[in-house]
Amino acid sequence: MLTRSVLVLASVLSSAWGELTFPPGFRWGAATAAYQVEGAWNQSDKSPSVWDHFIHSTPDLVADRSTGDVAADSYHLWRRDMEMLEELGLQFYRFSISWTRLVPNGFANVISEDGRRYYDDLINGLLESGIEPIPTIYHWDIPQRLQDLGGWTNPLVSDWFAEYARVVFSLYANRVKYWVTINEPSVFCEFGYGAGMIAPGIKDQDIGKYMCVKNVLMAHGKAYRVYEREFKGKYSGKLSMANHFMWYEAETEKDLEVAELIRQFQYGLYCHAIYSQEGGWPVAVEQQIADNSYREGYSFSRLPEFTQEEKDLVRGTFDYMAVNHYSSRTVRQQSSAEHIPASNQFTANAEFNATYEGKEDWPKGNSFWFLFYLLPHHQINPAGLRDLLVWLKTEYGDLEYLITENGYSDVTSKINDDDRVDYHREYLKQVLLAIKQDGVNVTGYTAWSLMDDFEWVEGYTLGFGLYHVDFSQAERPRTPRKSARYYASVARANSLDVPEPQDVML
Ligand SMILES: *[C@@H]1O[C@H](CO)[C@@H](O)[C@H](O)[C@H]1NC(C)=O
Ligand SMILES: *[C@@H]1O[C@H](CO)[C@@H](O)[C@H](O)[C@H]1NC(C)=O
Ligand SMILES: *[C@@H]1O[C@H](CO)[C@@H](O)[C@H](O)[C@H]1NC(C)=O
């Protein structure tokens, strides 16, 4: 009797302790992107990327008219970045490779010696510190030379990207196990080639953004096939595109159908071709855009078709799924009276006549986040991450899911960033529920970002960093925030059952 009640008590206690603990082997990381931290925009033989060009030619489009010319100067300060990753006790670092630093012509005929050495040193430095490198091959910085030839709207870009990817693999695949091919096409296609708010600043909601999506999928597919044919046998690395997934949920019972269509649009346009059994576009989305196109007088669908051969090339080009997530929206069907034109897709989806909103009871972040599409303030809905993970598993299967970005922006001056601590804690609780209650195989979590950086059109007006960076000083000193203390203790314990972090005294 006694033994039995002791056992029951022990199991109750261990499940209480266990509740906040991640599975053994769960991995912790932090992320940055080349243009946002490296600086050294014109160092050595590097040529301008689309961001260098955009920032210098249209400075008014950036909140504080700043540039990424120097940014956090990680090109020179990467050893300090490495110390920070060690201070945090992380298992991996997700960074991106600058196309124009490594391959300054844009085309793969010339490799920059300095560019090659920079990423070589970075990767070797990480491995020496026991930190796994997870490189992103493309994080929004296509060579300006290629943009002058149409950039992501030129179908040949998929070959140009695959050649660049082959260079990257040939140099680094022997030391890399996890790759991200392309980061967040939904953001750079919709906002770079649709709304025109970010580089390259092209405003073409009807056609441009869809050409971009198709070409990105082809580029990812071709790069994956290069790896599969030439490198996988030797190195068995895993590849995924990283998508940006806002969680979209129905505003009322009446909106369940339109909310699902919006998920098929916002996720399916980028995932279905890769992760579904049949490949190509999600059927309902393909049909809707075709119908809208014919009604508007086009003789073809504004969403470019896939041939069967293209579908076969892209389908199945994944080894895991990289998930970036920050926030949630509600979706409702518009009344016919409020039809929102295609030029205004921040708050609405013109193909489906749907409006995106937030909920009264979702807390709002402190910073105004212009790029964070649709609603300016960060809508905080931790449960949305769990809902998203369950949706992805239901739709695409019991895959390995790696959270490759999640984080909170705030005014950069704040060092005791309790809101960011709360954000990571609450979102991580939902990751745990997805793992333990819903059986979603999430194998790791990446905080965006390791340090404050050049936040695209927000410039330096807000930061996501676990580390504060003082951009007013030439040395770009980095200071750990309270959230860095918290994240380090969570990563070390592999658990949320950790003491509250102490304030940082400066
Ligand atoms: C690089 O750009 C900086 C401005 O960010 C400029 O002052 C410098 O002269 C440029 N260097 C070269 C070699 O063009
Ligand atoms: C969207 O609204 C427009 C204008 O009211 C209408 O012509 C179109 O059929 C609607 N589309 C959908 C999918 O409801
Ligand atoms: C999750 O995915 C990893 C990597 O593919 C695999 O090793 C592990 O067995 C999976 N875990 C579960 C519970 O399916």
Side-chain angles (χ1 to χ4, degrees):
M1 227 21 224
L2 179 69
T3 321
R4 188 160 174 274
S5 48
V6 166
L7 281 178
V8 169
L9 182 63
S11 90
V12 166
L13 282 177
S14 79
S15 74
W17 290 325
E19 234 166 65
L20 292 174
T21 297
F22 287 80
F26 189 86
R27 301 183 318 142
W28 299 90
T32 60
Y35 186 72
Q36 295 181 273
V37 296
E38 283 179 6
W41 77 281
N42 57 1
Q43 184 97 19
S44 183
D45 49 354
K46 182 180 173 296
S47 74
S49 77
V50 77
W51 272 93
D52 294 313
H53 181 81
F54 178 79
I55 291 290
H56 293 142
S57 57
T58 52
D60 288 336
L61 294 184
V62 180
D64 55 2
R65 301 184 102 254
S66 62
T67 73
D69 290 357
V70 181
D73 202 18
S74 286
Y75 185 76
H76 298 107
L77 301 176
W78 61 271
R79 285 191 179 80
R80 171 68 183 125
D81 297 348
M82 211 130 304
E83 274 171 23
M84 287 144 58
L85 294 159
E86 287 180 30
E87 285 162 16
L88 293 168
L90 300 182
Q91 279 95 45
F92 66 88
Y93 180 39
R94 178 180 171 226
F95 59 93
S96 85
I97 294 174
S98 156
W99 189 333
T100 54
R101 193 179 301 291
L102 189 63
V103 177
N105 280 347
F107 298 96
N109 61 325
V110 175
I111 298 173
S112 161
E113 191 44 37
D114 284 345
R116 186 198 62 73
R117 187 172 342 107
Y118 175 65
Y119 296 111
D120 221 35
D121 288 347
L122 181 61
I123 288 171
N124 290 341
L126 288 167
L127 291 172
E128 279 158 24
S129 309
I131 297 163
E132 184 181 339
I134 302 191
T136 301
I137 299 171
Y138 180 77
H139 201 123
W140 302 11
D141 48 358
I142 191 170
Q144 182 59 33
R145 179 180 181 191
L146 303 191
Q147 183 51 44
D148 291 340
L149 303 175
W152 286 107
T153 62
N154 185 337
L156 291 175
V157 75
S158 59
D159 294 318
W160 304 338
F161 177 75
E163 291 223 339
Y164 158 57
R166 179 185 281 112
V167 170
V168 174
F169 296 142
S170 67
L171 296 173
Y172 309 119
N174 60 349
R175 284 159 286 166
V176 171
K177 287 298 166 214
Y178 279 75
W179 294 94
V180 173
T181 53
I182 296 176
N183 187 67
E184 294 183 345
S186 67
V187 180
F188 72 78
C189 289
E190 287 191 34
F191 290 88
Y193 295 87
M197 287 164 61
I198 65 172
I202 290 166
K203 290 189 173 58
D204 195 334
Q205 293 280 14
D206 290 349
I207 303 278
K209 73 174 180 210
Y210 295 128
M211 293 172 74
C212 174
V213 181
K214 160 104 193 269
N215 295 331
V216 164
L217 289 165
M218 292 298 296
H220 162 84
K222 288 180 181 178
Y224 185 95
R225 298 301 178 197
V226 165
Y227 188 86
E228 186 176 55
R229 276 195 307 272
E230 301 170 29
F231 302 93
K232 196 164 196 163
K234 255 181 282 180
Y235 306 122
S236 355
K238 295 185 177 188
L239 277 64
S240 172
M241 191 157 89
N243 281 301
H244 177 270
F245 298 97
M246 181 90 75
W247 172 243
Y248 293 93
E249 68 180 43
E251 193 155 304
T252 69
E253 289 277 302
K254 288 200 308 272
D255 303 306
L256 289 170
E257 195 183 330
V258 70
E260 179 58 21
L261 287 167
I262 290 304
R263 290 190 286 265
Q264 290 296 345
F265 183 96
Q266 294 288 356
Y267 316 155
L269 273 185
Y270 307 90
C271 291
H272 192 271
I274 297 171
Y275 289 93
S276 72
Q277 298 293 325
E278 59 282 3
W281 303 117
V283 175
V285 175
E286 185 171 30
Q287 189 63 54
Q288 180 75 38
I289 298 175
D291 289 352
N292 291 350
S293 305
Y294 301 135
R295 206 186 50 241
E296 292 156 7
Y298 291 96
S299 62
F300 56 90
S301 175
R302 292 184 279 99
L303 185 67
E305 278 173 36
F306 280 101
T307 64
Q308 189 57 46
E309 198 185 339
E310 290 173 336
K311 280 186 194 172
D312 293 342
L313 186 138
V314 177
R315 191 185 47 196
T317 53
F318 68 89
D319 304 290
Y320 71 100
M321 188 187 276
V323 176
N324 294 358
H325 175 79
Y326 291 89
S327 184
S328 292
R329 293 289 178 272
T330 58
V331 178
R332 69 174 170 80
Q333 191 75 64
Q334 289 163 14
S335 67
S336 50
E338 61 178 327
H339 180 65
I340 300 199
S343 61
N344 190 357
Q345 287 235 356
F346 310 122
T347 52
N349 182 294
E351 305 288 2
F352 286 101
N353 293 346
T355 289
Y356 305 154
E357 288 166 339
K359 260 189 191 163
E360 277 305 304
D361 60 347
W362 289 345
K364 289 172 190 46
N366 291 325
S367 58
F368 181 87
W369 196 354
F370 179 54
L371 179 60
F372 200 3
Y373 45 122
L374 324 177
L375 288 181
H377 285 274
H378 194 162
Q379 308 277 313
I380 300 165
N381 172 36
L385 177 51
R386 178 182 180 186
D387 293 336
L388 169 69
L389 290 166
V390 170
W391 189 93
L392 291 171
K393 182 185 174 191
T394 308
E395 185 73 13
Y396 301 119
D398 186 11
L399 314 175
E400 178 187 357
Y401 294 90
L402 180 64
I403 295 174
T404 36
E405 287 183 25
N406 180 235
Y408 180 80
S409 69
D410 206 340
V411 293
T412 48
S413 54
K414 207 177 281 179
I415 297 293
N416 285 307
D417 52 344
D418 293 286
D419 290 336
R420 184 171 293 110
V421 170
D422 291 344
Y423 180 94
H424 284 291
R425 183 198 301 107
E426 295 310 312
Y427 274 74
L428 279 164
K429 277 186 192 162
Q430 298 294 323
V431 174
L432 269 175
L433 289 171
I435 295 172
K436 297 192 172 185
Q437 306 290 320
D438 311 318
V440 184
N441 190 7
V442 184
T443 59
Y445 178 87
T446 315
W448 182 274
S449 54
L450 175 60
M451 64 191 130
D452 292 345
D453 60 16
F454 178 78
E455 271 300 326
W456 312 112
V457 290
E458 321 295 350
Y460 301 103
T461 59
L462 54 81
F464 289 80
L466 299 171
Y467 282 71
H468 170 267
V469 177
D470 186 347
F471 294 100
S472 70
Q473 294 193 48
E475 303 76 22
R476 298 297 193 268
R478 286 109 156 99
T479 308
R481 290 198 167 98
K482 193 170 179 177
S483 58
R485 295 186 170 181
Y486 175 70
Y487 195 57
S489 67
V490 168
R492 288 212 164 79
N494 198 36
S495 173
L496 297 175
D497 190 10
V498 294
E500 278 299 302
Q502 300 292 306
D503 273 355
V504 177
M505 301 296 175
L506 290 178

